[in-house]
Amino acid sequence: MADLETQVVVVGGGATGAAVLRDLALRGIDAVLVERDDLGTGTSGRWHGLLHSGGRYVVKDPVSATECIEENTVLRRIAPHCIEDTGGLFVLLPEHDQGYGDAFVEGCRKTGVPCEELTVEEARRREPLLTPKLSRVFAVPDGTFDAWKLIGSMVEDARGRGARALTRHPVVGFDRDGDRVRAVRVRDLAAGEERLIGCEWVLNAAGAWAGKVAGLAGGRLRMAPGKGAMVVMVGRYVRGVVNDCRMPGDGDIIVPVHEVAILGTTDSETDDPDDTSVDPRQVDFMIDSCAQMVPAIAGGRVLRAFTGSRPLYKPEDDDSDSRDITRAFFVLDHGERDGPANLLSIVGGKLTTCRQMAERTVDALVRKLGVEARCTTAEVPLPGAEHGIHRLAGPLATVEADVDYGELVCECELVTRQRVEAAVDRGATELDDLRRQLRLGFGPCQAAFCGWRAAAIVDRRRPGATDPFANLRRFLDERWRGQQTTTWGDGAVQALLNHAIYRGTFDLQPEPATEGEA
């Protein structure tokens, strides 16, 4: 007998899976989401934070461009608290194809992406650190947004409507009856035991891992994860997003996210979406490439580097390389392909289009169910939307208003003791969970002081929930891994201080690098 019963099991707790869960809940369909780790720990938590205008794709991938600008507008309406309205520029450098400027303008016109050409002088007033060596500049409605906040808001809304979300419950198998899945087998990592979730339908929203999930169910799905490396700089450098106005390539975008700038990104096909290693040569390349647009980056301090795997779908007859695969999304009905009959997979797309991806997926499901249930996710605001657009100075304004300087656990990200305690009381015991929820440890010191402070708070508020030193070790391993390819100059000085604190005071040693890591 099943431990749980539901109509639909959603596999994957990234942005798409969370959006699917919310859509199902708003349509009155009972659903359980299962995620192998915490929410947003896959591709959705390893990206550059860009709210796409679609400008990046107007020439090469117009379908994806149209999807992006449509959802850009929707997200600003339903999730403004997750978005910083930075705007964006596409800058054409003299050494690049000058004909691309006209192609870009025409592509924006055809796909519906708003575009305004600025003079070089106007652009440099808007972005003082831009290189003066510019041919043409175009303004588009790019922005940035916090994926973890978006995912959390969607899951919170879904739970409030009766849906369930089980984190740290990886799928280990499917029970079938003929050509249909009857139950999903998951492993409860906290309890150390398997659970069986009976269901009528399975929606596979596992992103770059969707092929593996489909394979467990007996289906076939060819994914071609595109591994992309990104570099985090201390300081924002730019007020808005800056894109190199050329065909999408490596090292062609600067995204100001919270207090840092993220440089992106490379693209190479990988067989293992769990491979998070970074080639040091990619770090050097992206710094050099982005410095052509903003020269000050060449002398800046690098904070860390990381990678994520794009959930790209490659049909069996497609021989394209990763950079040429469309960023559009597809809803695949395995009943019409290879079975099982009650499995749908959603693949491809961008984080910006997650709500639209969910809508198309659930539309396909309700047609199969033979019910009428209209999608309302583009109309119903998410919890927190009443706070309006995110402002960079918002956290500082709150600390100043409450005179909470003495209560800061993380000075870099202005995280107070009260916020940490509230998150722990809501169930967060892993320091990495606090990092995703509160940005604990994201700042220039990379958790030199907030790590051990937060570990003590967790242990005091939830005694016995986790070993504080093991918790701290897991948290620091992730911080150190991101610094392995960026430790020079001031970054090396900071790393030495951090190691002195955690090795010298707490006797904690970093995990040795695994094969393939720097």
Side-chain angles (χ1 to χ4, degrees), residues 229-234 237 250-254 261-266 280-305 485-488:
M230 286 147 276
V231 178
V232 186
M233 305 293 296
V234 176
Y237 288 90
D250 294 350
D252 62 355
I253 188 169
I254 305 166
I262 299 181
L263 316 182
T265 176
T266 61
R281 291 171 295 185
Q282 294 178 328
V283 176
D284 292 339
F285 171 80
M286 281 188 285
I287 292 171
D288 292 344
S289 183
C290 290
Q292 294 178 26
M293 298 183 286
V294 177
I297 285 175
R301 176 183 161 191
V302 181
L303 187 58
R304 59 190 294 108
T485 56
T486 63
T487 306
W488 65 79

Side-chain angles (χ1 to χ4, degrees), residues 13-15 38-49 146-148 151 209 230 262 306-309 351 435-436 442 478-479:
D38 190 23
L39 297 172
T41 50
T43 304
S44 297
R46 308 185 72 86
W47 71 308
H48 48 38
D146 188 322
W148 289 306
I151 293 168
W209 296 264
M230 286 147 276
I262 299 181
F306 64 97
T307 62
S309 290
L351 205 151
R435 175 176 63 87
R436 286 181 283 271
F442 267 113
E478 178 61 30
R479 295 296 87 199

Side-chain angles (χ1 to χ4, degrees), residues 99-179:
Y100 190 82
D102 290 336
F104 178 81
V105 172
E106 179 62 13
C108 287
R109 186 189 67 78
K110 288 181 176 179
T111 57
V113 176
C115 171
E116 177 190 3
E117 183 160 7
L118 307 178
T119 66
V120 172
E121 292 73 22
E122 289 172 331
R124 296 196 70 226
R125 282 197 294 270
R126 181 166 163 172
E127 293 288 358
L129 295 184
L130 276 179
T131 175
K133 300 175 182 178
L134 297 171
S135 299
R136 301 174 73 181
V137 183
F138 309 96
V140 297
D142 281 338
T144 66
F145 72 104
D146 188 322
W148 289 306
K149 186 180 290 187
L150 180 71
I151 293 168
S153 292
M154 290 191 292
V155 172
E156 178 187 346
D157 194 31
R159 281 173 166 158
R161 301 173 190 277
R164 288 161 285 182
L166 305 178
T167 57
R168 297 183 173 86
H169 279 69
V171 173
V172 295
F174 294 84
D175 285 7
R176 289 181 58 165
D177 182 3
D179 68 344

Side-chain angles (χ1 to χ4, degrees), residues 158-423:
R159 281 173 166 158
R161 301 173 190 277
R164 288 161 285 182
L166 305 178
T167 57
R168 297 183 173 86
H169 279 69
V171 173
V172 295
F174 294 84
D175 285 7
R176 289 181 58 165
D177 182 3
D179 68 344
R180 297 186 71 83
V181 172
R182 294 302 182 190
V184 180
R185 289 191 175 276
V186 297
R187 181 161 187 80
D188 182 341
L189 297 181
E193 60 187 23
E194 286 193 8
R195 303 177 71 182
L196 194 63
I197 307 174
C199 61
E200 299 171 18
W201 280 85
V202 177
L203 301 186
N204 177 13
W209 296 264
K212 295 183 178 181
V213 172
L216 282 175
R220 290 198 318 274
L221 176 55
R222 185 187 181 197
M223 298 297 292
K227 181 181 175 183
M230 286 147 276
V231 178
V232 186
M233 305 293 296
V234 176
R236 286 166 65 101
Y237 288 90
V238 288
R239 296 167 177 168
V241 181
V242 174
N243 306 262
D244 204 340
C245 192
R246 55 183 169 92
M247 281 290 188
D250 294 350
D252 62 355
I253 188 169
I254 305 166
V255 186
V257 181
H258 291 280
E259 295 81 22
V260 301
I262 299 181
L263 316 182
T265 176
T266 61
D267 195 339
S268 57
E269 192 169 326
T270 178
D271 294 328
D272 182 10
D274 286 310
D275 177 10
T276 58
S277 61
V278 179
D279 186 333
R281 291 171 295 185
Q282 294 178 328
V283 176
D284 292 339
F285 171 80
M286 281 188 285
I287 292 171
D288 292 344
S289 183
C290 290
Q292 294 178 26
M293 298 183 286
V294 177
I297 285 175
R301 176 183 161 191
V302 181
L303 187 58
R304 59 190 294 108
F306 64 97
T307 62
S309 290
R310 302 171 183 86
L312 303 180
Y313 168 59
K314 181 182 281 192
E316 298 295 334
D317 58 351
D318 189 344
D319 294 323
S320 304
D321 65 24
S322 181
R323 182 63 77 181
D324 291 329
I325 296 175
T326 179
R327 270 49 173 171
F329 62 86
F330 305 87
V331 179
L332 307 176
D333 183 348
H334 289 268
E336 298 174 355
R337 293 161 52 89
D338 49 20
N342 57 340
L343 172 65
L344 299 176
S345 291
I346 175 70
V347 292
K350 306 293 295 180
L351 205 151
T352 298
T353 63
C354 66
R355 189 217 60 84
Q356 190 179 92
M357 294 167 67
E359 178 178 352
R360 300 275 181 85
T361 306
V362 182
D363 280 349
L365 174 67
V366 297
R367 287 194 296 270
K368 296 284 186 180
L369 295 174
V371 299
E372 289 191 15
R374 188 177 69 86
C375 177
T376 58
T377 57
E379 305 160 19
V380 179
L382 285 164
E386 65 276 7
H387 298 304
I389 289 285
H390 170 75
R391 306 290 180 187
L392 179 63
L396 177 59
T398 300
V399 170
E400 289 183 333
D402 296 339
V403 195
D404 267 348
Y405 295 103
E407 293 295 304
L408 289 174
V409 173
C410 177
E411 288 91 347
C412 298
E413 296 289 340
L414 298 171
V415 180
T416 62
R417 176 186 300 275
Q418 289 82 357
R419 292 180 64 201
V420 175
E421 290 175 344

